[in-house]
Amino acid sequence: MTHEIAVIPGDGIGQEVTPAAVDVLAAIDSVDFDFVEADAGDAVKAETGEALPQETRDIAADADATLFGAAGETAADVILPLREVVGSFANVRPARSYPGLDAVQPDTDIVFIRENTEGVYSGIESEITEGVTTLTRVITEDASAKIAEFGFDYARQNDFDDVTIAHKANVMRETDGLFLDAASAVGEDRGADYDTALMDALAMHLVMTPEEYDVIICPNLAGDVLSDLAAGLVGGLGLLPSANVGEENALFEPVHGSAPDIAGEGIANPSAMILSAAMLLDHLGYDEEGDRVRAAVESVLESGPKTPDLGGDAGTDEVAAAVVDAL
Ligand code: GGG
């Protein structure tokens, strides 16, 4: 069986790390892929006036899964609608430390389960008058319960003991009050062990004692911010993959953005993108192949070559080739 994969490199270093992940997938003999490349992002908008062409939406909707690189200035017009196109409601962001890498917290193994459809990323913003703007934060009981169900299932299926529900219900009483109640009700229904945590205090505890956390269920913005914080604990954004999971379709992307400061230099760390490709393999049912890719990335992270963000001087292509060799 051949799997059709939409490949959307997007902006900046997305153009460099996405081909690296495609090379790794193509090197897996036991799975057949048909890669269909599509455009999106700042450059496409400059050229055509549209950051996410209908053709790209259709390719992602029809594919078995999508690999997405990075969004730049047009992120709100590209990655948010693309997540909608594939029907994703959960953004799974694992943050773990690796042997052989300098990490602020070398005993970190946390998976953020981020609600992916609402919160402050609902896109309901307006300028009331000059100098006055508003944003509507949407939280629904259904979406909050759905992400909690996904998070508790994920913890059970992956043998994680601790589930934490992140919120700020003492200030955002209506919206995060609802998120907290709906997510807690799921935990109660399942007789699960879980904690709740105010997201600001949680940020501090994550820095000081990340080993105390396994799975963290978060509203949209909190998941985006806390997972970047966790990237800082384990060696940087070049290491964090993610899966945007829907009922049937899914999109896989590194947690990092387009990194305009290093774009075009060929030195971006492809690990996050390749690890996202490993999550794509899991999603398609190729768990063994996904594990092989993770093991190959882990061995290269330990023994090199390494990109400059990890203290080395290798380029993106050299690291990707080393991962293919390790496979
Ligand atoms: N590959 C992830 C990416 O491009 N991130 C840029 C960004 O702004 N993302 C917002 C989000 O993840 O919701």
Side-chain angles (χ1 to χ4, degrees):
M1 175 183 190
T2 300
H3 299 281
E4 190 170 303
I5 307 298
V7 178
I8 309 174
D11 293 310
I13 61 167
Q15 293 285 338
E16 296 155 50
V17 297
T18 309
V22 170
D23 285 351
V24 171
L25 287 177
I28 296 171
D29 292 338
S30 48
V31 191
D32 284 333
F33 291 111
D34 182 12
F35 299 105
V36 184
E37 192 153 331
D39 293 327
D42 300 349
V44 188
K45 181 160 187 185
E47 215 174 282
T48 67
E50 221 184 350
L52 185 62
Q54 186 59 44
E55 192 192 351
T56 301
R57 288 173 188 260
D58 294 343
I59 288 171
D62 294 344
D64 295 317
T66 295
L67 268 184
F68 177 77
E73 291 303 315
T74 50
D77 303 318
V78 174
I79 189 57
L80 302 191
L82 269 177
R83 289 174 184 153
E84 241 180 273
V85 164
V86 301
S88 93
F89 60 90
N91 188 198
V92 181
R93 295 184 159 195
R96 56 157 296 204
S97 42
Y98 290 92
L101 288 189
D102 270 347
V104 175
Q105 286 289 7
D107 194 14
T108 302
D109 188 4
I110 300 171
V111 181
F112 294 88
I113 305 292
R114 169 191 177 194
E115 202 291 320
N116 217 12
T117 64
E118 50 185 33
V120 292
Y121 284 23
S122 305
I124 311 170
E125 277 194 292
S126 55
E127 183 181 39
I128 301 289
T129 182
E130 209 186 319
V132 183
T133 54
T134 62
L135 164 67
T136 300
R137 183 171 197 259
V138 179
I139 298 283
T140 64
E141 188 175 5
D142 282 355
S144 304
K146 193 166 178 174
I147 194 65
E149 281 163 9
F150 183 91
F152 280 106
D153 285 349
Y154 184 95
R156 188 173 37 78
Q157 285 158 9
N158 293 281
D159 296 324
F160 282 115
D161 294 328
D162 296 316
V163 176
T164 305
I165 299 168
H167 67 95
K168 189 68 184 163
N170 58 338
V171 173
M172 294 181 281
R173 292 184 182 134
E174 290 296 335
T175 51
D176 262 12
L178 180 58
F179 181 84
L180 178 60
D181 287 351
S184 301
V186 172
E188 296 299 327
D189 277 356
R190 295 180 178 214
D193 257 351
Y194 69 94
D195 285 319
T196 66
L198 289 165
M199 61 178 79
D200 47 354
L202 177 59
M204 179 200 69
H205 289 300
L206 285 175
V207 171
M208 298 183 77
T209 54
E211 68 282 359
E212 290 181 4
Y213 297 91
D214 289 335
V215 171
I216 302 182
I217 300 170
C218 317
N220 203 336
L221 176 63
D224 202 6
V225 173
L226 293 176
S227 54
D228 273 34
L229 177 146
L233 301 179
V234 301
L237 275 166
L239 299 172
L240 261 63
S242 85
N244 296 277
V245 181
E247 303 293 351
E248 284 165 23
N249 208 338
L251 177 149
F252 301 84
E253 58 171 331
V255 167
H256 65 69
S258 59
D261 53 331
I262 57 163
E265 293 181 31
I267 56 164
N269 185 348
S271 303
M273 186 81 224
I274 296 170
L275 291 167
S276 303
M279 294 177 88
L280 179 149
L281 286 164
D282 298 340
H283 169 75
L284 294 177
Y286 298 104
D287 295 16
E288 195 191 317
E289 285 81 355
D291 285 345
R292 275 178 57 209
V293 171
R294 279 182 284 273
V297 171
E298 191 167 328
S299 80
V300 173
L301 287 174
E302 186 163 15
S303 12
K306 297 181 190 186
T307 42
D309 57 311
L310 302 179
D313 59 6
T316 308
D317 292 347
E318 195 185 337
V319 172
V323 173
V324 170
D325 280 351
L327 269 174

